[in-house]
Amino acid sequence: MEKEKSAAKLLQEKLCVQRKNGVLRTSEEDMKLCDEYCENYKSFMDTAKIEREAVEFAEAAAVKAGYKPFEKNMSLKAGDKVYYVNRKKAVILAYIGKEPVSEGVHIAAAHIDSPRLDLKQNPLYENDETAYFKTHYYGGIKKYQWGTIPLALHGVIVKADGTSVRVSIGEDESDPVFCVTDLLPHLAQEQMKRSAGEILKGEELNILIGSRPFRDDDVSEKVKLNIMSLLNEKYGITESDFVSAELESVPALKARDIGFDRSMIGAYGHDDKVCAYTALTALLDCKEIPQKTAVVVLTDKEETGSDGNTGLRSSYLKYFIHDLAECFGMDGRTVLSRSECLSADVNAAFDPTFPDVVERRNAAFINYGVVVTKFTGSRGKSGTSDASAEFVGRVRKLMDDNNVVWQTGELGKVDLGGGGTVAAYIANLNVDTIDVGVPVLCMHAPYEIVSKLDVYMTYKAFVSFLSE
Ligand code: MN
Ligand code: MN
């Protein structure tokens, strides 16, 4: 027999927020679906390490689900599915709803670029009979974390004749990998006096790529020549072709379960492919035609400030909505002004080893579900779009009505740091926008950690929103 609750206890339950781990608020059946869902998420993470690969994955999945390339002035009706790829590095999908688009669309946005080491335009050199690539890091990283870990190389090289070749090396077990070297502790006395941001300096993030000389006594830089000879054999390139390449060095690590209970996932690039995957699959899993037209945008360049024509500070999303509106003889700005957006990006998860950086009452915890964040920014909410109480109220009800485990989360203590997302750029189009996402441990590290429950609840949040 359950002990009868006191009047005070009942009143407290009625009036005060009750904290309870999300696992304890989720049925065993749902937990099983959660674990199954995360198996597919892990294989996505091993396939789509960079934005181009994420776009290819999304396009292939969309085509399989009946999506057709979007064209200006095409005739569209409820139930039609279209997609648009922006320069191979960003993609928009739309599932035309029952209501006219003039009533507004539902947008889920996430980014598919992640922090990494990009090769410079003239990357290849030989030093003391060892060959290296010079890099310029992409996004906010703790540089020292990128030494002495296995690195893979992904991207594209455009050759002098205009043809291009794709590169993906270091993911297969039989592939070689690459590495940024670091000093042994025995000789690091001076290095360890450097500030942490400079333990490995930007110009020390040099990737080791070879050490065997070309067998010939006639030339200098034989190791470099040997590497160039191998690259020419494999990709048909010469050294000058690096000038027109986008080669991204990422951790050669697979997504793995973390913990004896397998409750978490470690992987490179959860930020923000975890939101990209959950948004994408939520749209593709929509069984019935949604009321509102559902739009998913997977964007590039968030980690460097969203500038550039594949980032969300550019007009490509706005133009897509305008073009979509025109297909129905509507004007784009009316559609945008009535639209809503879940801007999906990861949030900092509370780390019990470093409790002092957050204010506990407003921090996000792993296993407490999808994080709903009214405002981001820093130092007096600078740089945030700050969702209205009305829109937060609407999203909160949507989550509760659909049994989505959710929490709030502010990125760190006031004035301690902070960060922005693409939310502000979408809100600036006159769209009601709020931040949602998955809490992440070790964000921006080569290996980031999420909880499976939070991944699944983020998926459920998108299903609720996009299938409305
Ligand atoms: Mn992010
Ligand atoms: Mn980030």
Side-chain angles (χ1 to χ4, degrees), residues 111 113-115 140 271-272 302-303 345-346 420 443-444 448:
H111 69 92
D113 60 319
S114 302
D271 178 8
D272 186 32
E302 193 279 339
E303 295 295 356
D345 205 343
V346 298
M443 195 198 292
H444 283 209
E448 302 174 316

Side-chain angles (χ1 to χ4, degrees), residues 191-229:
Q191 183 198 26
M192 295 309 279
K193 287 183 196 153
R194 296 179 184 179
S195 66
E198 299 220 308
I199 291 203
L200 278 178
K201 298 180 188 177
E203 292 294 352
E204 290 169 345
L205 294 173
N206 303 318
I207 301 175
L208 181 61
I209 56 165
S211 66
R212 266 189 202 171
F214 194 87
R215 284 188 181 274
D216 189 301
D217 285 333
D218 213 30
V219 295
S220 61
E221 299 199 318
K222 296 185 192 62
V223 177
K224 176 179 163 179
L225 178 63
N226 194 40
I227 294 294
M228 237 9 273
S229 160

Side-chain angles (χ1 to χ4, degrees), residues 362-380:
N362 286 284
F365 289 73
I366 63 162
N367 286 320
Y368 275 75
V370 57
V371 190
V372 178
T373 303
K374 187 177 181 298
F375 56 87
T376 60
S378 53
R379 294 172 304 280

Side-chain angles (χ1 to χ4, degrees), residues 87-202:
R87 296 169 172 90
K88 303 178 183 175
K89 298 203 283 188
V91 60
I92 303 176
L93 295 87
Y95 189 176
I96 309 302
K98 290 177 192 157
E99 282 180 25
V101 289
S102 54
E103 297 304 308
V105 301
H106 281 183
I107 304 168
H111 69 92
I112 45 179
D113 60 319
S114 302
R116 60 185 190 243
L117 306 179
D118 281 349
L119 296 204
K120 292 193 185 191
Q121 278 196 286
N122 296 305
L124 178 62
Y125 70 100
E126 172 174 341
N127 241 359
D128 298 295
E129 297 173 72
T130 334
Y132 296 91
F133 279 147
K134 291 298 295 181
T135 67
H136 194 139
Y137 62 97
Y138 174 98
I141 60 167
K142 287 168 142 181
K143 294 187 275 287
Y144 66 82
Q145 293 180 329
W146 292 71
T148 69
I149 58 165
L151 295 171
L153 198 64
H154 293 242
V156 64
I157 306 170
V158 177
K159 297 191 246 185
D161 64 2
T163 61
S164 65
V165 56
R166 287 294 302 269
V167 175
S168 173
I169 183 161
E171 299 297 345
D172 195 274
E173 285 301 317
S174 63
D175 281 353
V177 292
F178 313 98
C179 193
V180 170
T181 60
D182 194 2
L183 267 180
L184 60 168
H186 317 63
L187 297 177
Q189 207 173 308
E190 290 303 315
Q191 183 198 26
M192 295 309 279
K193 287 183 196 153
R194 296 179 184 179
S195 66
E198 299 220 308
I199 291 203
L200 278 178
K201 298 180 188 177

Side-chain angles (χ1 to χ4, degrees), residues 35 38-39 42 253-268 270 366-367 441-442 447-452:
D35 290 346
C38 286
E39 288 306 302
K42 282 188 288 178
L253 303 166
K254 298 260 185 266
R256 302 279 295 265
D257 285 348
I258 291 203
F260 288 112
D261 57 6
R262 297 182 174 267
S263 58
M264 298 163 281
I265 303 169
Y268 162 70
H270 285 309
I366 63 162
N367 286 320
L441 289 164
C442 335
Y447 215 53
E448 302 174 316
I449 298 168
V450 295
S451 113
K452 288 182 180 176

Side-chain angles (χ1 to χ4, degrees), residues 220-468:
S220 61
E221 299 199 318
K222 296 185 192 62
V223 177
K224 176 179 163 179
L225 178 63
N226 194 40
I227 294 294
M228 237 9 273
S229 160
L230 289 167
L231 291 175
N232 181 264
E233 207 175 288
K234 190 169 165 69
Y235 301 111
I237 60 161
T238 63
E239 190 183 0
S240 69
D241 292 334
F242 283 120
V243 167
S244 45
E246 266 178 11
L247 292 170
E248 308 174 5
S249 195
V250 299
L253 303 166
K254 298 260 185 266
R256 302 279 295 265
D257 285 348
I258 291 203
F260 288 112
D261 57 6
R262 297 182 174 267
S263 58
M264 298 163 281
I265 303 169
Y268 162 70
H270 285 309
D271 178 8
D272 186 32
K273 289 178 209 87
V274 68
C275 295
Y277 183 78
T278 45
L280 175 70
T281 50
L283 180 66
L284 297 178
D285 291 351
C286 273
K287 297 226 166 50
E288 281 162 30
I289 303 174
Q291 286 299 120
K292 301 268 185 189
T293 291
V295 176
V296 167
V297 51
L298 307 183
T299 195
D300 182 29
K301 290 283 177 283
E302 193 279 339
E303 295 295 356
T304 52
S306 295
D307 284 308
N309 54 18
T310 53
L312 271 185
R313 268 172 141 148
S314 90
S315 300
Y316 82 90
L317 174 63
K318 182 174 86 179
Y319 290 165
F320 178 83
I321 301 291
H322 276 246
D323 290 347
L324 191 67
E326 270 175 34
C327 292
F328 296 93
M330 318 276 178
D331 66 2
R333 79 169 216 215
T334 311
V335 177
L336 283 166
S337 66
R338 292 173 186 166
S339 292
E340 294 179 342
C341 173
L342 298 186
S343 170
D345 205 343
V346 298
N347 206 310
F350 175 82
D351 184 338
T353 306
F354 303 100
D356 297 336
V357 298
V358 299
E359 185 265 291
R360 296 182 76 114
R361 280 176 200 83
N362 286 284
F365 289 73
I366 63 162
N367 286 320
Y368 275 75
V370 57
V371 190
V372 178
T373 303
K374 187 177 181 298
F375 56 87
T376 60
S378 53
R379 294 172 304 280
K381 292 188 168 183
S382 183
T384 181
S385 46
D386 207 344
S388 69
E390 289 81 358
F391 190 49
V392 182
R394 160 147 153 67
V395 170
R396 168 188 172 191
K397 184 169 184 308
L398 177 74
M399 304 279 160
D400 288 340
D401 289 349
N402 289 280
N403 294 318
V404 177
V405 176
W406 64 278
Q407 59 182 325
T408 60
E410 187 170 343
L411 190 80
K413 278 181 176 163
V414 176
D415 285 346
L416 196 73
T421 64
V422 299
Y425 313 124
I426 298 173
N428 288 349
L429 299 173
N430 199 17
V431 174
D432 271 315
T433 308
I434 191 166
D435 275 285
V436 303
V438 177
V440 174
L441 289 164
C442 335
M443 195 198 292
H444 283 209
Y447 215 53
E448 302 174 316
I449 298 168
V450 295
S451 113
K452 288 182 180 176
L453 178 88
D454 301 332
V455 176
Y456 183 63
M457 287 301 162
T458 304
Y459 165 75
K460 276 187 74 164
F462 287 131
V463 169
S464 318
F465 179 63
L466 294 174
S467 60
E468 255 191 322

